[in-house]
Amino acid sequence: MKFLLQRIAFYLFTAWAAITINFFIPRLIPGDPVTSLINKFQGQMSTEAIDSLYVLFGLDKDASVWSQYVDYWGQVFRGDLGLSFTFFPTPVSDILGQSLPWTIALVGITTFASFVIGTGLGVLAGWRRGSWLDGLLPVTTFLSSIPYFWLGLIAITLLAGQGSFFPSSGGYEPGLVPSWNSEFIGSAVQHSLLPAVTILISSVSGWILSMRNMMVTVASEDYITVAHAKGLSERRVMVSYAARNALLPNVSGFALSLGFIVGGTLLVEIVFSYPGIGYNLFQAVGAKDYPLMQGVFLVITISVLVANLIADIAYLLLDPRTRKEG
């Protein structure tokens, strides 16, 4: 319990530091976000309107930095992340609320599926060294070295195009209104197939390789020999003794993967013009949309911290030594 409380305190401190850094980002960049917005409208704004924008975006020159900082924390707690320049005057929270489900549905499902499939195949490959499955390691190593977006470009070139079942871009067929009906859901699934397959192929190979290597290391431990000497079944030794201990390092990797779900496949969403949060970040950078960039960075940071906290809890459940230390 002490271990868990220490980790929670650490993550709370890290969250405070991340939000503080996020507050200073637009204030450290040369110029300021309001100037960029004024340039977007070609300077056709009155002095009163410009002063109102400074107040609106929390950059009031008459207010101290401390008061702006306190106001920013109040906005974060209220879920108010400001207004987007790219989609002005739409609030950043609304934009993120629309794009997050797309990214979570695509990357969340593929990340979980790749972890389960890759870990399972890695356990078998490491436990049964020399089998045909173990012989596929060179292929998995090659696939794990290929970036998501490169596989995406290859998939578009070979499988997408005129008359193809696989769309090359977008999240659903143009003209459809997002809703929970069969036509829209079918279109969304169809548009997600190619990006999902590219993510799955590239990421599952890494899980196979890492889990296989850990299984080989664990298989030579003394407690595995003792388990065999007790007459336990091969399956029980593999799952309950070898795989359970070999899985621990992969838990951290999986937690980081969960944390980066919201922005880790930025290039995949760009390649497929998929309406997720990564594509929003790409648009924000191109338009110098500081409030949207801040919002995306904040969501990614919180996601990573929450995912790592989940990993620590998983460690407590999987590793008795951690509980004894706590």
Side-chain angles (χ1 to χ4, degrees), residues 104 150 235:
I104 292 174
W150 184 247
R235 181 178 178 180

Side-chain angles (χ1 to χ4, degrees), residues 32 35 50-51 54-55 58-65 68:
D32 58 65
T35 302
I50 293 174
D51 291 339
Y54 275 104
V55 175
L59 298 171
D60 186 5
K61 295 180 179 179
D62 295 331
S64 65
V65 175
Q68 293 178 27

Side-chain angles (χ1 to χ4, degrees), residues 209-230:
L209 189 61
S210 62
M211 193 63 188
R212 184 264 180 193
N213 292 338
M214 286 304 304
M215 283 294 292
V216 170
T217 301
V218 168
S220 61
E221 295 290 338
D222 292 339
Y223 60 83
I224 299 296
T225 303
V226 172
H228 282 298
K230 289 181 177 179

